[in-house]
Amino acid sequence: MHSQSSSSIRWPSTLFLAALLANPAFASLPMVDFSRMGQVGLAGAFAGLSLFNNATAITFDPSASSLLARTGEGALTTLGTTNAGGSIQSGCAINDIFYFAGSFSSIGNTSVSASNIASYTPSSGVFAALGSNGPNGPIYSLYCDVSTSQLWVGGHFTSPGSSVAIWDTKSNSWSAPPFKGFIGDGGEVLSITSNASENSLLFAGSFLTAFAANATALNNTNNPNIPYSPGATPFSSSLVPVPLEGAEILGQPSSSDPQFSNILNILCPAGPDGPGNTWLAANGNGAVITVRDFSSINAYGVRLGNTFQSGFGTTTFSVTSIPDNAVQTLSYVNPSTGQNMTCTTTCPLSTDSSILYQDFIFTAPVTLTGIQITLSGWTGEAPGLHMLQLLSSGAFASSSGNLKSCFSPNPSNTTSTGSWITKNAVTDIPATLQTVQVSTVAVGTSPSQAPTFTWQPYVSASGQYDVYLVIPGCADFQDCPLRTSVQVTVFPGGGSQPWVSSVSQQVQSDATTLVYSGPIVPSSTDFVTTVSMTLANNPEGTGQDGQYELVAGNVALVLTSANVTSATGSGSSGSNTTSSSQHGFGFFEWPLSSSASIDATGTIPNTSETSLDIISIDLYNALGATTSTTTSITAIAQHPSGTVYLGGNFQLISGSTSGVSNIVAFKSGSFISPPNNGLNGPVTSFALSGNELYVGGLFTDTNIPSTQGKLKGVAIYDVSSNSWKAMGAGVNGVVSSLALANGQIVVAGNFTEALNSSTAGVPAGGLATWDVSTGSWVNSGGFVVGNMTFIGNGTLPASGQKQTQFVAGNVRTMAEYGSSGLVMLSSGGSTGPLVVPMGVQLTSSVVNVSSPATVTKRHPHVRRGPSSWISHLNIGTLFTRQSVTSSTLPPPLPAPAPAVLTGAFWTNVSTSHQVAIIGGNFSFSSSSATSSAVAIYDPVTSSISALAGAQINGVVRTVYVDQKQQLFVGGEFNLTGTSASGLALYDLSAQQWDTSSMQPLQASAGSSVVVRSITSSTYKSDGVIVAGSFAQAGSVSCQAICLFDTTLNQWNPLGSGIQGDISSVSYAGNNQEILIAAGSITLDGSTTNVAQYYFANSTWAAMGNSAEIPGPVTAVTVNDGNSSSIFAAGRTVDGSSPFMMFWDGVSWSSIGSSLQGTTNISQLLMVPLMNTHSANSIIESDRMLMISGALSDSSFGSASSVLFDGSSFIPYMATATAQGALGSISSLFYSLANFSFTQQQFLATGIVILISIAIAAGVVFLLALIGILWTLLSRRDDRVAKYNASDDDDDDNSVQHRPSSLLEHINAATRTTILGAPNPLNMVGAEKDDTVRKATSAEPDPFGPDGSNYLRAETPSDAVVGTMAAEEEFTRPAHARYSFDGTGEGELRLTAGLEVEVLDDRDVAWWYTRNPQTGEEGVVPAAYLY
């Protein structure tokens, strides 16, 4: 589509994909099994993301035009590129082939020669030229007529037609249109579209039309009260329904429901389909509706509206005329295809609820007294109708009373002068009676003194009519001697001269005499025309007894065409005058069913003019009859109501719409001014969705400003309210094309942002998407930077599928997926993972993190290590190449907003949705407020929300959610109104910031707090590890890393601590008992950069020879907890080079020698595979190392994420910023903390069921066996005790064990057998067994208050039949997690938080402890301590 632009946008010179794919691409990708990781999110500083799964490298030449495919989800794929300097302006689809056109000489990667137009077949990926002798100039518009498989082409060319041509896809040949084309002014066609009924084409552009000298288009007037329906034509819609209120109407059999049993309710329904406005037949039966009017009716068809009540509806019917009982042949328009059809005995009635009614027309007008409609087919329980009308032959008026027709403002009317009386006579139709008005006049009376009779028939629409005067035969009235001739005058309206005829009434039998043939334009207020009768100037006959008799019967108007032109009328005799020829501009209508052949470059005959052709004449006149090559109509849309909207580059200076600019409406035969006189800049495109007309172009507001400049490039005109609405605040450039698909308006043009307000915008490099239902800008799915010239729909999708689209323009950068810093990943195939971009758009934040002014130690962390109750969080940062010292971390790589740097998954209990909590450098609008740095994104609803309360000022680099629904937020920021710096705590349950539970972090002098990592270890499940750059936490001195006790809300140092800064934390060991910290670390005065901390003995140690690591580490990860398989990455001490190292348990070795100097690694992460690779000594075959950041390698070029299999790097993902530069990936985070790398082989369902039954039976047997053994051992214990009772002396060293401890042994064994290993998060409290205690109270209790006999029993049998020697006392400190009453004998009372000394912890359930404050000792539940 042609567009004009007064400004241009300068794009960055960086050609991202050219650099990205300069090396050979990979045909397939490793199959990462993201499903084992749960929900997976990928965060970074990017606006677009692509996978390395393309078979051919693609580069973009911004001077050429590229054709892209867009999926229903919005993902983009490059199809081909034109020659340099080429452009693509329009496109459409027929069947499975997409046709596109513009100005180019070649297309496709293989440069297929094609002159301005070509086709693309998606199934084969093949481009093809369209024959030879095609248009010899640029093409601006295409229309695909699927019904005829013809492609209509409009543009600026001279062959094969003048600005219009047709390509026949069946014969593969070009031809000129039936009207040859257009010339004048610009001589170009800029738009071709269909009318609302899809039965004619509307052409628009810059051209002139001329109407024949004897045929000038007249003002078209239509009754706006007639509802539009695709089941009607302009012709049938013009037929006035016959009033049937006085007729006999029967519908049998009828429904027993009184709300649906009155057949009269459907003649002119007062409301929508429903009770009181619909008739239903009796269930299980067809129906017959009989209408008898007992008068002569000239009918042309029937109008039927189906019912859409649940369980009812008519599917087939037939119409029989009365009294001849002839089954009529009906013609109708198929509302789904627009084709003309015929039927007789089984005519179909549409069951599409959008079709209000259908008109079925007889082959010719039929004179009848009634009809019989047989409803033979139905859906559901029974047939039914919402509307039934008998259509007249056009319009009518009776001399003896008229009833009001449906939709008419008033009934037809008659007036008279002189004395008139009523006479009745039989007609030639049985059982009918005709009533006429007669008047006598003396012979010799002047016509001016004679009586007159005037008919004013209601005429619903302008058109070509034959007007007949019905003259009753004198034989029936027995008044032949009195008859004479009369003068009849027809007033056609529309400025045409009256038509005068002389008609003889001396007829023996009834006669219908034509008195006028030509255009009728009814008055615009009451929709009537006028026919008058009086005595002729030269009366025939001599009269009888000196008297003539004038007879006034009926007037009938027979519609011959819905096209309106002023032409020389005709009739039995008469005369009038005509107007001069006139010109039209920029608009032309062509009926698709027309078989005429005319020359629109010359004079258009009246026979080929349509009812809408008046638009071009009125437009020409409104332009002041002066046009230029810059004046044009570029867009047309017809609303279902019939209103036509025209947009373009014009200013109206004449008539009622003077002052209107660039958009105007044509309604009810005249132009209507839009609100505020239109728009203040050219219009390029329309898209109609219901009652909303979307407008694109180069404007900023209405012509008379009314929206504060919020109509930048795009606007919504609300048809129902006649008002303008903004789309956010528009876009910051020119809009070239609009398309409606999948409930969204996709906008293409030359812009860089879609604006949510006058100041805030989201990146949109030439392509933006507006969601119709939410009324907001949303993620477009794909990413592109360029000047996009076209967006259009492809072939209609199959049921349940989304509409695909094609995009074209001058592309500088493109990515398959577009998203402002976050995508969701799931397992895919060899072509890569399934990618779902974030459904909302983030905007720029006020924070600039591209280049810190001071060497502030800012660096996000990489978190690696399972936590069984929260999301597994891995956060990193991006690093630039910069000279640093050994004690300084590299500064972060620029992360221009909007950038997402971190994320964690959390189950929102209020919605039961697993949402992503994201942090970074961004802002967004939520609930009419702007929030920044942290947000909650719901992938299910594609919605984003802010944290309640104070806002973060700064950048968030890490987030973490613990088991108490507490959100830890870390980075470099402050929280408004609080003392928090770099670290804040948010209560997700209470939805508020917790400013009292955690003391703030403090930085060393001259620096600021930066938190890069927040993690936890399963070994210390109640502790959260915070790492980064800081000096102390609260009053606790713990540089760079500290543990926060979530139970006591206290900070604790890790051992003796470290010096330096930490960038990344991971964990090793089966229970994560070893913490691996990486960064710029000094331990005991020596630089180590990777250190390990042992939770068991609270000690730090360097990992290997620190000299083997060449500089500060920016990312570290442990391979599935294996402390002998650790990967680390960073930059050398001088900042000149990146490095990657591998720890094998003995030493560090380099594995990244091919990485180039610009590489900066933000995260290392082991990911599981669906397939395998060759095993090696570094990485197992079922997994790979995912390396993310901004990467460059001599083997693959540039990437944002690569996979390492132990021997080679495999490029995986590439990203781009909104400006087209290389983007980066900061972290991949996921919801399942513990997942297995082992690829599982699944058994058949039947085998699994059998195995389950066997396991269940085994468990039952095991429990029964334990019970039997316990019983036997208990009895043996009783016997031993009784036998030794009299012989034991006081110093016997035999040890008897606590019965409750024995029971706990059995209970623990049972739980482990049935449930597996206990979850450390289950708050298990061992309760005392009163029954057992009472049962053993008779025996001497060796566990007295002094507890001197307590010793752990290795097995239950040891407790009964054996003893163990006491060992040397060993103590360690512990704290009480919960309070314990300790009322039982030998038990020690606890209060929550109390510090105790553990003397013996060998029993899994009960530990022997001492209260150091009181010296008391006793046993307590082990689960109550930590």
Side-chain angles (χ1 to χ4, degrees):
M1 183 169 293
H2 206 151
S3 64
Q4 295 79 23
S5 173
S6 62
S7 62
S8 61
I9 295 176
R10 296 179 59 87
W11 299 101
S13 59
T14 303
L15 296 183
F16 161 61
L17 281 184
L20 176 69
L21 300 176
N23 294 279
F26 290 77
S28 62
L29 292 175
M31 299 167 63
V32 179
D33 193 354
F34 290 112
S35 62
R36 278 193 260 168
M37 304 171 76
Q39 284 255 59
V40 178
L42 186 74
F46 58 81
L49 180 145
S50 293
L51 303 174
F52 271 84
N53 58 357
N54 50 302
T56 305
I58 300 172
T59 59
F60 290 103
D61 178 2
S63 68
S65 185
S66 297
L67 182 66
L68 314 177
R70 185 173 187 264
T71 68
E73 290 73 29
L76 297 174
T77 304
T78 303
L79 302 178
T81 304
T82 69
N83 56 287
S87 66
I88 298 174
Q89 301 290 335
S90 186
C92 61
I94 297 178
N95 299 326
D96 61 343
I97 299 178
F98 182 75
Y99 298 89
F100 59 96
S103 177
F104 53 83
S105 58
S106 65
I107 184 68
N109 296 326
T110 58
S111 296
V112 174
S113 295
S115 179
N116 303 319
I117 187 168
S119 67
Y120 174 76
T121 305
S123 59
S124 62
V126 173
F127 288 97
L130 300 190
S132 59
N133 301 320
N136 60 352
I139 297 172
Y140 302 127
S141 182
L142 298 179
Y143 178 82
C144 288
D145 186 355
V146 178
S147 62
T148 61
S149 298
Q150 287 185 326
L151 177 65
W152 291 74
V153 179
H156 185 63
F157 47 82
T158 59
S159 177
S162 181
S163 300
V164 181
I166 300 175
W167 169 257
D168 192 308
T169 62
K170 295 179 180 178
S171 63
N172 291 329
S173 62
W174 286 100
S175 64
F179 50 84
K180 292 190 178 181
F182 308 108
I183 59 173
D185 281 350
E188 56 187 10
V189 171
L190 304 177
S191 174
I192 307 176
T193 188
S194 67
N195 65 351
S197 302
E198 297 186 351
N199 55 17
S200 68
L201 294 184
L202 308 179
F203 296 83
S206 178
F207 54 83
L208 293 174
T209 52
F211 295 93
N214 65 338
T216 301
L218 296 173
N219 182 35
N220 185 15
T221 303
N222 298 276
N223 183 358
N225 296 322
I226 300 175
Y228 169 78
S229 174
T233 65
F235 183 89
S236 66
S237 298
S238 302
L239 302 177
V240 174
V242 176
L244 296 175
E245 285 76 0
E248 177 187 273
I249 305 177
L250 298 175
Q252 297 174 327
S254 182
S255 170
S256 59
D257 187 340
Q259 296 185 95
F260 296 97
S261 60
N262 189 348
I263 192 69
L264 298 180
N265 289 341
I266 68 174
L267 298 182
C268 199
D273 182 21
N277 295 306
T278 298
W279 178 84
L280 301 178
N283 289 354
N285 293 279
V288 176
I289 301 174
T290 304
V291 179
R292 292 187 177 89
D293 193 54
F294 302 106
S295 63
S296 178
I297 300 173
N298 199 31
Y300 216 152
V302 295
R303 174 172 293 162
L304 300 180
N306 211 344
T307 179
F308 303 102
Q309 297 298 303
S310 178
F312 297 90
T314 301
T315 56
T316 58
F317 70 96
S318 62
V319 176
T320 302
S321 57
I322 299 175
D324 58 356
N325 292 324
V327 178
Q328 296 295 317
T329 297
L330 308 177
S331 64
Y332 65 98
V333 173
N334 186 326
S336 61
T337 65
Q339 293 182 322
N340 292 321
M341 311 291 289
T342 60
C343 62
T344 306
T345 57
T346 55
C347 293
L349 190 62
S350 175
T351 57
D352 183 350
S353 60
S354 67
I355 309 301
L356 178 62
Y357 60 81
Q358 285 179 266
D359 289 345
F360 297 85
I361 306 303
F362 304 151
T363 55
V366 177
T367 301
L368 45 75
T369 61
I371 57 171
Q372 189 175 76
I373 301 175
T374 302
L375 306 182
S376 55
W378 64 89
T379 179
E381 298 292 338
L385 292 175
H386 169 56
M387 184 183 295
L388 166 60
Q389 293 171 1
L390 181 62
L391 300 178
S392 69
S393 59
F396 50 85
S398 170
S399 62
S400 300
N402 293 276
L403 298 175
K404 185 174 179 291
S405 297
C406 287
F407 314 126
S408 66
N410 296 291
S412 297
N413 189 31
T414 60
T415 60
S416 61
T417 63
S419 178
W420 296 80
I421 61 174
T422 301
K423 278 190 177 181
N424 295 322
V426 296
T427 69
D428 55 2
I429 300 178
T432 64
L433 190 69
Q434 184 177 17
T435 300
V436 297
Q437 300 293 318
V438 298
S439 180
T440 58
V441 58
V443 175
T445 302
S446 168
S448 62
Q449 301 297 320
T452 63
F453 197 93
T454 301
W455 296 265
Q456 291 180 314
Y458 158 65
V459 180
S460 65
S462 304
Q464 300 288 333
Y465 289 85
D466 289 342
V467 181
Y468 293 92
L469 184 66
V470 179
I471 305 172
C474 62
D476 294 332
F477 285 91
Q478 300 180 2
D479 58 359
C480 292
L482 289 170
R483 297 292 183 92
T484 184
S485 57
V486 293
Q487 177 178 290
V488 180
T489 304
V490 178
F491 297 88
S496 296
Q497 296 298 316
W499 183 266
V500 182
S501 304
S502 180
V503 177
S504 174
Q505 292 190 332
Q506 293 179 331
V507 294
Q508 292 292 317
S509 56
D510 293 350
T512 302
T513 303
L514 179 67
V515 295
Y516 171 79
S517 180
I520 294 291
V521 180
S523 58
S524 60
T525 55
D526 50 7
F527 301 98
V528 297
T529 194
T530 301
V531 179
S532 66
M533 182 188 73
T534 188
L535 183 65
N537 289 329
N538 298 300
E540 294 180 342
T542 58
Q544 184 178 28
D545 298 331
Q547 298 287 321
Y548 289 129
E549 184 179 69
L550 308 181
V551 181
N554 298 335
V555 168
L557 284 74
V558 177
L559 180 67
T560 60
S561 173
N563 302 332
V564 186
T565 56
S566 174
T568 303
S570 62
S572 57
S573 63
S575 65
N576 67 358
T577 60
T578 62
S579 304
S580 61
S581 63
Q582 295 189 23
H583 292 287
F585 173 81
F587 178 88
F588 182 75
E589 181 183 23
W590 182 258
L592 287 170
S593 60
S594 176
S595 59
S597 178
I598 65 170
D599 184 0
T601 65
T603 301
I604 302 172
N606 63 325
T607 56
S608 297
E609 296 172 29
T610 70
S611 60
L612 292 182
D613 280 333
I614 186 63
I615 291 176
S616 62
I617 293 182
D618 283 1
L619 183 60
Y620 182 86
N621 293 331
L623 290 168
T626 57
T627 59
S628 68
T629 56
T630 60
T631 303
S632 61
I633 305 298
T634 56
I636 308 175
Q638 186 178 34
H639 188 263
S641 65
T643 303
V644 178
Y645 297 92
L646 299 93
N649 184 16
F650 58 83
Q651 291 184 340
L652 305 185
I653 61 175
S654 177
S656 61
T657 54
S658 178
V660 170
S661 296
N662 304 312
I663 183 170
V664 69
F666 184 83
K667 180 179 181 181
S668 300
S670 61
F671 281 132
I672 302 296
S673 298
N676 304 103
N677 278 358
L679 298 167
N680 65 357
V683 170
T684 61
S685 48
F686 283 159
L688 184 63
S689 176
N691 283 327
E692 291 184 326
L693 178 66
Y694 292 83
V695 185
L698 179 58
F699 46 81
T700 59
D701 207 330
T702 51
N703 199 23
I704 300 174
S706 63
T707 68
Q708 295 77 48
K710 292 185 177 181
L711 305 186
K712 295 182 178 69
V714 283
I716 304 173
Y717 171 70
D718 191 308
V719 175
S720 57
S721 65
N722 188 33
S723 62
W724 291 104
K725 296 191 298 186
M727 297 172 63
V731 297
N732 67 337
V734 184
V735 171
S736 301
S737 181
L738 301 173
L740 171 65
N742 309 313
Q744 296 177 330
I745 296 292
V746 186
V747 181
N750 190 17
F751 49 83
T752 60
E753 284 186 327
L755 306 174
N756 288 317
S757 66
S758 58
T759 57
V762 296
L767 196 68
T769 301
W770 177 266
D771 187 82
V772 174
S773 61
T774 62
S776 61
W777 294 110
V778 297
N779 187 0
S780 291
F783 170 75
V784 67
V785 173
N787 177 10
M788 310 312 294
T789 56
F790 167 74
I791 174 71
N793 294 343
T795 305
L796 289 175
S799 177
Q801 301 296 313
K802 288 188 175 181
Q803 176 71 61
T804 58
Q805 294 181 305
F806 291 88
V807 189
N810 304 101
V811 178
R812 293 181 176 272
T813 298
M814 190 211 78
E816 186 174 3
Y817 305 100
S819 185
S820 48
L822 178 69
V823 297
M824 311 302 291
L825 303 179
S826 57
S827 299
S830 60
T831 57
L834 301 179
V835 180
V836 179
M838 182 166 55
V840 296
Q841 292 280 60
L842 303 177
T843 57
S844 300
S845 175
V846 296
V847 178
N848 184 353
V849 296
S850 59
S851 56
T854 60
V855 186
T856 303
K857 301 168 185 177
R858 303 181 299 176
H859 187 58
H861 77 288
V862 174
R863 194 266 185 196
R864 175 68 177 95
S867 299
S868 59
W869 67 94
I870 63 159
S871 310
H872 189 148
L873 180 64
N874 285 269
I875 303 300
T877 188
L878 308 168
F879 302 92
T880 57
R881 174 177 178 176
Q882 184 172 334
S883 177
V884 296
T885 67
S886 60
S887 61
T888 305
L889 285 174
L893 189 72
V900 179
L901 303 178
T902 180
F905 287 102
W906 166 64
T907 300
N908 189 337
V909 295
S910 63
T911 63
S912 299
H913 293 174
Q914 195 169 56
V915 300
I917 301 176
I918 59 175
N921 180 27
F922 59 81
S923 62
F924 64 96
S925 298
S926 177
S927 302
S928 301
T930 299
S931 304
S932 61
V934 66
I936 299 177
Y937 174 67
D938 190 338
V940 177
T941 60
S942 295
S943 59
I944 193 168
S945 57
L947 300 183
Q951 292 298 305
I952 287 178
N953 297 314
V955 179
V956 171
R957 299 194 178 277
T958 177
V959 293
Y960 176 85
V961 182
D962 72 359
Q963 71 270 33
K964 294 183 178 181
Q965 307 298 302
Q966 295 182 117
L967 170 66
F968 291 78
V969 182
E972 43 191 318
F973 59 81
N974 58 70
L975 185 64
T976 304
T978 73
S979 61
S981 175
L983 181 67
L985 184 63
Y986 186 84
D987 190 327
L988 291 169
S989 299
Q991 298 185 36
Q992 62 184 14
W993 292 102
D994 185 347
T995 58
S996 61
S997 297
M998 183 173 64
Q999 292 179 299
L1001 299 177
Q1002 299 178 36
S1004 58
S1007 62
S1008 59
V1009 172
V1010 181
V1011 173
R1012 304 183 183 90
S1013 171
I1014 306 177
T1015 60
S1016 80
S1017 164
T1018 54
Y1019 189 86
K1020 296 286 291 183
S1021 59
D1022 55 354
V1024 173
I1025 307 295
V1026 178
S1029 296
F1030 50 87
Q1032 64 183 51
S1035 60
V1036 177
S1037 176
C1038 47
Q1039 184 174 354
I1041 188 167
C1042 207
L1043 182 148
F1044 181 73
D1045 189 315
T1046 58
T1047 301
L1048 300 177
N1049 291 335
Q1050 292 182 356
W1051 288 105
N1052 296 301
L1054 294 183
S1056 58
I1058 57 109
Q1059 292 80 45
D1061 303 282
I1062 292 180
S1063 61
S1064 180
V1065 171
S1066 190
Y1067 296 93
N1070 294 330
N1071 195 31
Q1072 298 185 338
E1073 61 271 19
I1074 305 173
L1075 179 149
I1076 309 298
S1080 177
I1081 301 173
T1082 300
L1083 193 62
D1084 297 329
S1086 300
T1087 299
T1088 179
N1089 294 334
V1090 178
Q1092 51 190 333
Y1093 175 79
Y1094 298 90
F1095 287 104
N1097 56 17
S1098 302
T1099 59
W1100 284 95
M1103 178 158 284
N1105 183 356
S1106 60
E1108 294 174 343
I1109 300 178
V1113 173
T1114 59
V1116 70
T1117 191
V1118 179
N1119 182 1
D1120 198 22
N1122 184 357
S1123 60
S1124 296
S1125 181
I1126 300 176
F1127 298 87
R1131 298 193 70 82
T1132 56
V1133 172
D1134 63 2
S1136 62
S1137 304
F1139 64 80
M1140 273 194 61
M1141 309 296 293
F1142 172 66
W1143 169 258
D1144 61 3
V1146 177
S1147 63
W1148 290 99
S1149 59
S1150 176
I1151 56 174
S1153 59
S1154 63
L1155 295 174
Q1156 296 179 337
T1158 56
T1159 293
N1160 293 282
I1161 297 174
S1162 60
Q1163 184 190 46
L1164 301 175
L1165 177 67
M1166 300 301 301
V1167 293
L1169 297 180
M1170 300 170 66
N1171 53 358
T1172 60
H1173 63 85
S1174 298
N1176 52 65
S1177 60
I1178 297 179
I1179 296 180
E1180 297 89 331
S1181 61
D1182 58 0
R1183 68 199 70 177
M1184 283 189 180
L1185 176 67
M1186 185 174 179
I1187 308 167
S1188 298
L1191 314 172
S1192 180
D1193 186 271
S1194 57
S1195 62
F1196 59 77
S1198 298
S1200 300
S1201 179
V1202 302
L1203 296 173
F1204 180 63
D1205 62 4
S1207 61
S1208 60
F1209 294 109
I1210 304 168
Y1212 194 51
M1213 295 179 181
T1215 62
T1217 67
Q1219 292 73 34
L1222 183 68
S1224 58
I1225 292 175
S1226 60
S1227 65
L1228 183 142
F1229 57 97
Y1230 49 96
S1231 62
L1232 294 182
N1234 296 311
F1235 65 86
S1236 172
F1237 286 94
T1238 304
Q1239 297 177 2
Q1240 308 201 7
Q1241 304 294 328
F1242 297 98
L1243 299 175
T1245 303
I1247 296 176
V1248 173
I1249 294 174
L1250 292 176
I1251 293 174
S1252 300
I1253 294 174
I1255 292 174
V1259 170
V1260 173
F1261 174 77
L1262 178 61
L1263 293 175
L1265 179 60
I1266 292 174
I1268 293 171
L1269 290 175
W1270 174 248
T1271 302
L1272 292 175
L1273 293 174
S1274 298
R1275 292 178 179 177
R1276 178 180 177 183
D1277 184 52
D1278 291 342
R1279 290 195 299 272
V1280 171
K1282 291 178 181 179
Y1283 178 78
N1284 293 327
S1286 60
D1287 299 330
D1288 288 341
D1289 53 25
D1290 292 338
D1291 15 47
D1292 189 85
N1293 290 327
S1294 299
V1295 179
Q1296 298 196 18
H1297 298 278
R1298 186 177 185 84
S1300 61
S1301 178
L1302 298 176
L1303 286 174
E1304 187 60 27
H1305 274 296
I1306 297 174
N1307 290 339
T1310 304
R1311 284 197 304 271
T1312 302
T1313 302
I1314 298 175
L1315 303 176
N1319 189 327
L1321 298 177
N1322 291 339
M1323 294 182 290
V1324 180
E1327 299 297 331
K1328 298 173 293 180
D1329 193 329
D1330 292 335
T1331 304
V1332 175
R1333 187 172 67 249
K1334 291 178 181 178
T1336 59
S1337 61
E1339 301 292 335
D1341 186 2
F1343 303 99
D1346 62 350
S1348 59
N1349 291 331
Y1350 180 84
L1351 192 65
R1352 177 178 179 269
E1354 293 295 336
T1355 65
S1357 58
D1358 289 338
V1360 180
V1361 300
T1363 62
M1364 298 180 63
E1367 297 183 358
E1368 233 175 270
E1369 181 176 334
F1370 170 81
T1371 66
R1372 65 179 177 86
H1375 290 84
R1377 178 181 284 110
Y1378 314 108
S1379 296
F1380 176 63
D1381 56 11
T1383 56
E1385 293 181 348
E1387 296 174 345
L1388 178 66
R1389 184 175 181 273
L1390 298 176
T1391 58
L1394 176 68
E1395 181 177 347
V1396 297
E1397 296 177 347
V1398 178
L1399 304 178
D1400 192 333
D1401 62 358
R1402 289 173 294 174
D1403 190 276
V1404 297
W1406 294 86
W1407 289 356
Y1408 186 61
T1409 60
R1410 177 192 297 129
N1411 185 337
Q1413 299 178 1
T1414 63
E1416 294 178 339
E1417 298 181 354
V1419 293
V1420 298
Y1424 278 40
L1425 299 181
Y1426 69 96

